[in-house]
Amino acid sequence: MQNESWHLEDFVDSLVVELDKTRETLAVKALNKPLSYTVRDLSLDLNIFPAYDGDQISFTTAQAGQEGASKVTIQLGTITDQQVRATSKAPVGKDEVKIDTIDVDKETKKKLRKIGVTSADDLKTIERKNVAIDQAGDSGIDYSSLANKIEKSRRARQPPVVKSASLIADAEAQPCLVIKGEKLAVNSKFPPVALIDGLLADVTASSPGELRIRVDDPAGFATATELVMMVDPYAVMRVNLQQGAAP
């Protein structure tokens, strides 16, 4: 059998899975037998050859008779769920943006992992503690560009949706196009921009569920009309409108 290299993370994960299986078996066995045996702690001595490729460390187990190997001792001890929660960072939420999923180069991701940043929420936590991350971390990271890419990725997960469009008269008896939907204007710092057939239109009101756009020539909607809406820097929508047709 070929002696393949392996990573420490994979090796330890495999050991833990096997130990978890043992405990699950004991949980069933305990229903019938009041006394049994289990593994409390595990210690392994390994003779290995480490190799570093500039990014990851891998190991190859020494074969019988091979010399020059390094000795590594791995000890696994028991830990309770309370200890895990007290000493570990909470898992990344399903709606949170992971650094590994955004469009940044491999070297930047590596530098972020070195300072413990694996998600957008980690960056926010550092900022809330008033830490100058560009000074505490690697000066080679463009944090402004990184923040933009994170917001772009987050917006892509929750894109705006148009559900309906209608023409009404507003409070000033002026024709107004009402766009209803979800996650439309969600950035309070960015006023939405609208173009009707290439001409800038006045967005009179905006919210996550609705946009109101002043219309100069409502008769133009008798034929196909293109509406372009930029609701924030990361979301642009194009909708073809015509009276009597669904958007």
Side-chain angles (χ1 to χ4, degrees), residues 6 51 98 141 154 232 238:
W6 45 272
K98 297 180 181 179
I141 299 176
R154 181 180 285 117
D232 58 57
R238 284 180 170 82

Side-chain angles (χ1 to χ4, degrees), residues 27-137:
V28 177
K29 190 176 181 181
L31 298 175
N32 297 314
K33 290 185 176 292
L35 178 64
S36 188
Y37 303 90
T38 187
V39 178
R40 181 175 180 180
D41 295 300
L42 179 66
S43 178
L44 294 174
D45 290 332
L46 302 175
N47 292 319
I48 57 176
F49 294 99
Y52 179 60
D53 62 5
D55 185 30
Q56 286 187 311
I57 298 177
S58 60
F59 303 94
T60 303
T61 307
Q63 299 294 305
Q66 280 188 301
E67 297 182 355
S70 301
K71 181 179 179 181
V72 173
T73 299
I74 297 177
Q75 292 183 325
L76 296 179
T78 56
I79 185 171
T80 65
D81 58 338
Q82 291 90 346
Q83 290 172 307
V84 172
R85 286 193 291 269
T87 59
S88 303
K89 185 172 64 176
V92 178
K94 64 178 182 179
D95 295 327
E96 187 51 69
V97 178
K98 297 180 181 179
I99 296 299
D100 284 340
T101 64
I102 63 177
D103 183 24
V104 296
D105 60 274
K106 185 177 180 180
E107 186 63 24
T108 296
K109 293 178 181 179
K110 181 179 177 181
K111 291 176 180 178
L112 289 170
R113 283 196 297 269
K114 285 183 179 179
I115 59 174
V117 174
T118 58
S119 70
D121 194 53
D122 291 338
L123 289 173
K124 289 182 179 179
T125 299
I126 293 174
E127 291 175 356
R128 283 196 298 268
K129 294 183 178 180
N130 202 29
V131 175
I133 189 171
D134 55 341
Q135 297 178 18

